[in-house]
Amino acid sequence: MKITFDFEKPLADLQMQIEKIKQVEEKTKVDMSATLAELEEKFETTKKQIFSHLTGWQRVQISRHPERPYTLQYLELMCDDFIEMHGDRTVGDDKAIVGGFGSLNGQTVMFIGHQKGINTKMRQYRNFGMPNPEGYRKALRLMKIAEKFGKPVVTLIDTPGAFPGLEAEERGQGEAIARNLLEMAVLKVPVICVVIGEGASGGALGIGIGDKVMMLENSWYSVISPENCSTILWKTWENKEKAAEVLKLTSVDMFKNKLVDGVIKEPLGGAHQDPIAMAATLKKQLIKDLKVLAEKNVDELVAERIDKFCSMGVVVEG
């Protein structure tokens, strides 16, 4: 198991003990199998205890793990074939958003998602998964192509937010996101959105209006990150853990508050522990949901999608 976070320290200590016992066994040729079995059992028990009682901030940390699978890795693992499409036909090709037709269990689907990059060079190339306006316009262009050919749309959300640079504002960042909200609400094909990592603010919402909105177990979805929330409320980043709790941004909280339609279970310890298993679970869920949505007619699909989002945040007074 890859040990990364502070809250995983008990696991790191146990793992070190197991390695030392193995070295002693190999060196001395003394049978240490009973001790090893006891330590390995303790390791698994401790692992289950830690990951069944995660705080909001700990889930945020897992969602940002550098080895967590991103959109292109999921597409590689889930799709029999994927053809990437580029450009918004206005400004250029935003590398922070990728998209194209893919074959999912024999069905053609338009996949669109954020891409952060797997190393420093690629993260710079992908602008750390923060799209410019042309990224959202590319996404909308691909959705319209899917609508034209009657193919469902699946979006994979993982962004720290839309790019906040001056040039992005000059090219209409707010308008591009707002346009996507409007167009996705009335798209005449099934739309499934899955938060696979970070779901921050309008940057996530720009490809987040769907018939089904799902979250991976250790992802988060909120109007603001815990660090920025802490900076605004307490003038320091030091209270980010507290902010993560009060924002109710975890998948469990979002589902409880009826802001998402379901939570997709991750391998114990996070999606980065077993990307192949995570992709298989996600694929199974997508196939199941696409089958259900395909049975609905267009008018019913659009009406239910609009009603779902219009009912969010509505307070009914007695």
Side-chain angles (χ1 to χ4, degrees):
M1 178 181 172
K2 306 175 183 106
I3 305 296
T4 308
F5 307 113
D6 291 341
F7 60 86
E8 292 179 311
K9 191 177 184 302
L11 296 176
D13 294 339
L14 284 168
Q15 201 169 57
M16 193 178 294
Q17 288 179 47
I18 290 168
E19 290 303 317
K20 284 182 179 177
I21 294 292
K22 284 180 178 178
Q23 288 172 10
V24 169
E25 185 180 47
E26 189 177 339
K27 190 175 181 179
T28 63
K29 306 301 180 186
V30 176
D31 184 14
M32 308 284 282
S33 56
T35 307
L36 273 173
E38 187 180 330
L39 282 172
E40 284 168 353
E41 185 181 345
K42 188 177 179 182
F43 180 89
E44 291 302 320
T45 303
T46 305
K47 186 178 175 183
K48 286 174 184 174
Q49 287 175 345
I50 289 172
F51 289 101
S52 61
H53 298 91
L54 291 172
T55 66
W57 175 245
Q58 287 168 346
R59 291 196 188 277
V60 170
Q61 287 179 287
I62 294 173
S63 77
R64 295 171 175 170
H65 194 286
E67 293 180 25
R68 192 173 175 87
Y70 299 135
T71 295
L72 288 176
Q73 187 174 0
Y74 279 119
L75 297 184
E76 182 183 343
L77 292 170
M78 292 192 304
C79 297
D80 303 319
D81 191 22
F82 174 70
I83 301 171
E84 187 174 353
M85 302 169 77
H86 300 271
D88 70 337
R89 301 297 186 266
T90 305
V91 174
D93 184 37
D94 190 339
K95 306 299 183 184
I97 283 189
V98 296
F101 280 122
S103 177
L104 188 72
N105 199 37
Q107 181 179 9
T108 301
V109 177
M110 176 61 80
F111 288 97
I112 300 164
H114 298 100
Q115 181 69 18
K116 286 180 173 177
I118 57 175
N119 53 45
T120 303
K121 188 174 181 180
M122 288 302 294
R123 287 185 189 110
Q124 290 175 329
Y125 177 70
R126 299 287 182 183
N127 201 31
F128 298 88
M130 295 187 291
N132 280 281
E134 48 270 28
Y136 294 104
R137 290 177 180 133
K138 172 169 74 171
L140 180 57
R141 184 176 76 84
L142 299 187
M143 290 177 206
K144 286 295 186 182
I145 291 173
E147 184 182 52
K148 179 180 178 181
F149 292 105
K151 304 301 180 185
V153 174
V154 171
T155 69
L156 302 178
I157 299 164
D158 187 10
T159 180
F163 185 59
L166 178 63
E167 61 273 31
E169 297 299 336
E170 287 175 343
R171 294 197 297 274
Q173 185 74 285
E175 187 278 335
I177 293 173
R179 175 66 59 183
N180 279 22
L181 303 186
L182 172 64
E183 297 288 355
M184 288 186 79
V186 295
L187 211 62
K188 293 180 175 63
V189 290
V191 183
I192 299 175
C193 309
V194 185
V195 183
I196 60 172
E198 297 187 271
S201 193
L205 204 56
I207 58 169
I209 305 295
D211 304 295
K212 280 271 191 179
V213 180
M214 313 289 285
M215 291 179 70
L216 297 195
E217 185 181 8
N218 294 310
S219 62
W220 65 273
Y221 203 6
S222 175
V223 70
I224 193 170
S225 71
E227 295 94 331
N228 289 333
C229 178
S230 176
T231 302
I232 292 170
L233 294 182
W234 294 285
K235 312 302 179 188
T236 174
W237 276 26
E238 296 301 315
N239 292 313
K240 55 186 180 291
E241 291 93 342
K242 185 178 179 181
E245 293 304 318
V246 298
L247 282 169
K248 302 295 181 187
L249 44 65
T250 67
S251 58
V252 175
D253 289 322
M254 291 292 287
F255 182 62
K256 185 179 177 181
N257 291 326
K258 299 179 181 178
L259 296 170
V260 296
D261 301 300
V263 178
I264 302 171
K265 193 81 174 168
E266 294 186 22
L268 193 62
H272 60 283
Q273 298 292 349
D274 194 345
I276 294 173
M278 185 68 255
T281 302
L282 178 57
K283 181 178 180 179
K284 185 179 178 181
Q285 184 67 48
L286 290 175
I287 291 169
K288 177 185 172 185
D289 289 339
L290 285 170
K291 185 179 179 181
V292 172
L293 293 174
E295 294 171 359
K296 298 186 179 184
N297 64 54
V298 172
D299 293 336
E300 184 184 8
L301 208 60
V302 173
E304 287 183 4
R305 191 187 307 151
I306 292 172
D307 287 344
K308 182 175 77 167
F309 282 91
C310 286
S311 66
M312 291 180 184
V314 173
V315 178
V316 180
E317 296 183 5

